Amino acid sequence: MKKIQHILVAMLLMSTTAIGQNLVDGLRYSDYRIQGTARSAAMGNAFGALGGDFTSASINPAGLGIYRSSEFVITPSFGKTSVDINYLGQTTNESKYTIGLPNVGYVTNFNDNGTQNGSMVGLSFGVGYNRLNNFNMKRMMEARDATSSMLDEFVLNADGLNVNQLSSYYERLAVDTELIYTEDDSEGLYRHDMQKFPYTDDLTNYEHHQRKSYSQKGNIDEFLISMAANFNHRFYLGATVGIHNVDFKETTSLFESDPDDNAPIFNDYTFNTYLHTTGTGFNVKLGAIYKPTDALRFGVAVHTPTFYRLHDSFDNSMYSSLNFGDGEYSALSPLGDYDYDLTTPMKAVFSAAYVIGKSAIISLDYEYVDYSTIKLDDGGNGYDFFDENQVIENAYKAVGNLHVGAEYRLSNELSLRAGYEHYPSPMNENFQSSTMDTSDAVSSAISGGLGFRQGGFFFDVAYKHAIDKNYAEVYNGSDLANFEITKDQLIMTLGFRF
């Protein structure tokens, strides 16, 4: 059970540690952190009841019904992601700058101005895209005097098997680089040269140095077509069809070495992994907004699951340096490919907003998502992922994400905005680590911005500061590393109304 708990804690980093599709992949492509317009970002993306902003097409499509004119928006962004990692008492930091285009949108509005004498007084159509997730970041952790090794897990997995039965992506690479091996009289037991007591159940190792680096790139973008209707400026209905494009790439490199010459034969080794996931998915969003008074608005929206078809390309490699034989060894895995389906959870969004005259707005969104309903299915070889889905169901739970936003109009041209977002951990408390308190593994963001309006032109700018706190293993069975991921973004939207 302790081993399973560690694996589940590792999911919070949303970084894969194995080629097999698992709960980590499920969460990575289900946990959306929308990046739309600067106005929406500045107000914590609390637009479920407000509308009148293109981002609402991905939150509550009824919000497009608020439009009284047509609009085009484009949103560039500039950001920095910093990662502070504490592992075995040593802290490291990595950072990466990114430039992106998280939003482009066009809305056209047909307003009959009451000429049809019917209840529907307006109809809006929207096309464009919003970014749902940004994976770009770099991370590195290192520690001296480590006493566990990834080779411990390789030895345990290999025990009792012959060489031809070993995974060509993991244990077989370690055999081919002379890092783990067995002898004729060992009865199928494997050993590695960092072990103090080989061919026993005692996996105590010589103290050594560890360093692992990660590099992630990619995004999830939602291309959407939306429609919304306005009924007497009191009730709004809308629908969005979203097409998701997934592009995720990750490389990792684990380096373990013996700089103090504690082990008699071992010098160092490097284990590299590569994963590239691409695919598409689709979902449907339905929403409504009701205005009982001019000041008060309520919204509700339902997002169907996103149905993905994904493709993984992957390979691993291993290199060793030993005081033995040829001294330098290398091994490469085959190039792997795998197709599979992923179904994300449904989402319900409940919203309220209050408009204070013509000077201020307060808005709140509450999102309900049950991550235990994530499903993997239809593997390329007919695999049904039954075991993985059971782990997902036990590991994850339902959460309520909170978005709060406010806007104050300083003048007819200038507005001041602020927002807050809170994302609880999706991990079930029953699977918290037994060796470390991981209850603070949550995400939050604060934001602020300005908006300028002049005639049919507007310019919005937002600054967003987000912090993710989570934990992960360096490899299966290692001590947990404590991660604090800080994302700072400057977002600007240029818009035209006509």
Side-chain angles (χ1 to χ4, degrees):
M1 176 60 72
K2 180 179 177 181
K3 179 178 176 181
I4 294 175
Q5 289 171 342
H6 281 308
I7 296 172
L8 296 173
V9 171
M11 74 190 180
L12 293 175
L13 187 60
M14 291 177 287
S15 163
T16 187
T17 57
I19 289 173
Q21 295 70 32
N22 52 38
L23 74 171
V24 179
D25 302 281
L27 184 62
R28 181 188 301 119
Y29 306 121
S30 302
D31 187 23
Y32 302 137
R33 307 294 169 89
I34 188 170
Q35 301 174 46
T37 67
R39 186 187 182 205
S40 179
M43 297 178 64
N45 290 309
F47 267 80
L50 279 180
D53 185 279
F54 189 80
T55 310
S56 62
S58 292
I59 301 172
N60 183 348
L64 294 188
I66 303 294
Y67 277 92
R68 304 288 185 88
S69 60
S70 299
E71 177 183 279
F72 173 77
V73 292
I74 184 169
T75 306
S77 68
F78 175 77
K80 178 184 178 182
T81 301
S82 300
V83 185
D84 292 298
I85 303 174
N86 186 284
Y87 176 57
L88 296 180
Q90 185 168 337
T91 300
T92 55
N93 175 272
E94 277 280 6
S95 61
K96 183 176 183 178
Y97 291 92
T98 58
I99 297 175
L101 190 70
N103 159 259
V104 176
Y106 171 72
V107 177
T108 185
N109 174 263
F110 301 94
N111 191 338
D112 70 8
N113 295 313
T115 58
Q116 301 299 320
N117 297 317
S119 60
M120 190 173 74
V121 298
L123 191 63
S124 298
F125 295 91
V127 294
Y129 84 92
N130 292 314
R131 181 149 292 164
L132 301 183
N133 235 330
N134 176 8
F135 299 121
N136 294 282
M137 72 172 71
K138 294 176 66 176
R139 305 187 298 279
M140 188 187 72
M141 66 189 78
E142 65 177 337
R144 294 189 176 274
D145 303 325
T147 55
S148 71
S149 169
M150 186 183 70
L151 298 181
D152 297 339
E153 184 71 13
F154 282 13
V155 165
L156 291 174
N157 291 339
D159 280 348
L161 302 177
N162 63 51
V163 171
N164 293 329
Q165 293 175 300
L166 301 181
S167 168
S168 56
Y169 294 92
Y170 294 98
E171 290 79 20
R172 181 59 187 264
L173 299 181
V175 169
D176 291 344
T177 52
E178 301 291 342
L179 288 166
I180 69 171
Y181 49 88
T182 186
E183 296 181 1
D184 292 339
D185 60 354
S186 66
E187 298 181 352
L189 292 177
Y190 285 77
R191 66 157 291 173
H192 64 80
D193 283 321
M194 280 190 284
Q195 288 180 254
K196 289 185 176 180
F197 309 103
Y199 303 125
T200 71
D201 292 332
D202 188 343
L203 295 179
T204 302
N205 298 317
Y206 294 104
E207 291 184 347
H208 57 282
H209 178 77
Q210 292 179 340
R211 182 177 70 246
K212 187 169 186 178
S213 61
Y214 304 74
S215 177
Q216 290 183 345
K217 300 178 181 178
N219 306 283
I220 299 179
D221 290 326
E222 180 177 54
F223 297 86
L224 51 88
I225 301 173
S226 298
M227 181 181 70
N230 176 350
F231 298 91
N232 291 326
H233 304 298
R234 291 294 181 189
F235 186 64
Y236 306 85
L237 287 175
T240 291
V241 176
I243 306 298
H244 291 195
N245 180 68
V246 174
D247 187 4
F248 173 78
K249 186 180 296 184
E250 180 184 68
T251 58
T252 75
S253 181
L254 173 65
F255 177 73
E256 293 195 83
S257 65
D258 180 26
D260 298 324
D261 293 326
N262 292 319
I265 295 177
F266 175 79
N267 291 325
D268 61 66
Y269 80 85
T270 302
F271 180 67
N272 301 318
T273 70
Y274 170 82
L275 169 67
H276 187 197
T277 301
T278 57
T280 58
F282 72 93
N283 67 16
V284 175
K285 303 176 183 67
L286 303 174
I289 295 175
Y290 176 60
K291 294 169 58 177
T293 69
D294 289 339
L296 187 61
R297 302 178 182 183
F298 296 103
V300 63
V302 175
H303 301 187
T304 71
T306 302
F307 303 96
Y308 285 114
R309 185 62 176 174
L310 300 174
H311 175 79
D312 285 355
S313 300
F314 47 86
D315 64 82
N316 295 344
S317 60
M318 205 161 197
Y319 306 88
S320 67
S321 173
L322 306 172
N323 298 318
F324 170 82
D326 295 334
E328 305 289 332
Y329 298 89
S330 63
L332 305 177
S333 75
L335 299 178
D337 291 277
Y338 198 75
D339 295 312
Y340 59 100
D341 288 345
L342 172 67
T343 303
T344 72
M346 292 186 66
K347 179 188 290 186
V349 184
F350 305 94
S351 312
Y354 190 76
V355 181
I356 306 171
K358 294 184 178 181
S359 61
I361 297 171
I362 299 173
S363 181
L364 182 146
D365 284 9
Y366 177 85
E367 301 172 344
Y368 178 83
V369 189
D370 187 355
Y371 290 102
S372 69
T373 62
I374 296 171
K375 297 295 182 184
L376 294 160
D377 197 12
D378 195 20
N381 56 353
Y383 187 61
D384 62 7
F385 293 99
F386 178 82
D387 293 333
E388 289 82 358
N389 288 330
Q390 286 295 111
V391 173
I392 289 173
E393 184 176 349
N394 294 327
Y396 292 140
K397 65 179 182 180
V399 300
N401 302 323
L402 182 65
H403 304 260
V404 180
E407 180 179 74
Y408 181 73
R409 182 173 292 179
L410 300 172
S411 67
N412 289 334
E413 293 80 23
L414 193 63
S415 298
L416 182 67
R417 300 164 183 144
Y420 174 75
E421 300 172 69
H422 179 75
Y423 300 89
S425 169
M427 188 177 71
N428 194 320
E429 290 82 355
N430 295 332
F431 291 89
Q432 295 283 352
S433 169
S434 61
T435 60
M436 181 182 293
D437 181 11
T438 59
S439 59
D440 62 341
V442 297
S443 303
S444 61
I446 57 173
S447 53
L450 294 170
F452 175 77
R453 298 284 191 275
Q454 184 67 55
F457 168 77
F458 62 91
F459 175 73
D460 297 322
V461 61
Y463 170 75
K464 186 173 182 178
H465 176 76
I467 296 179
D468 291 344
K469 294 183 178 180
N470 46 56
Y471 299 81
E473 294 178 318
V474 181
Y475 46 83
N476 192 21
S478 77
D479 291 277
L480 292 182
N482 181 355
F483 291 74
E484 183 169 294
I485 303 171
T486 303
K487 294 184 177 182
D488 293 286
Q489 270 192 308
L490 181 65
I491 306 161
M492 296 164 286
T493 295
L494 292 173
F496 303 89
R497 285 186 174 172
F498 45 90

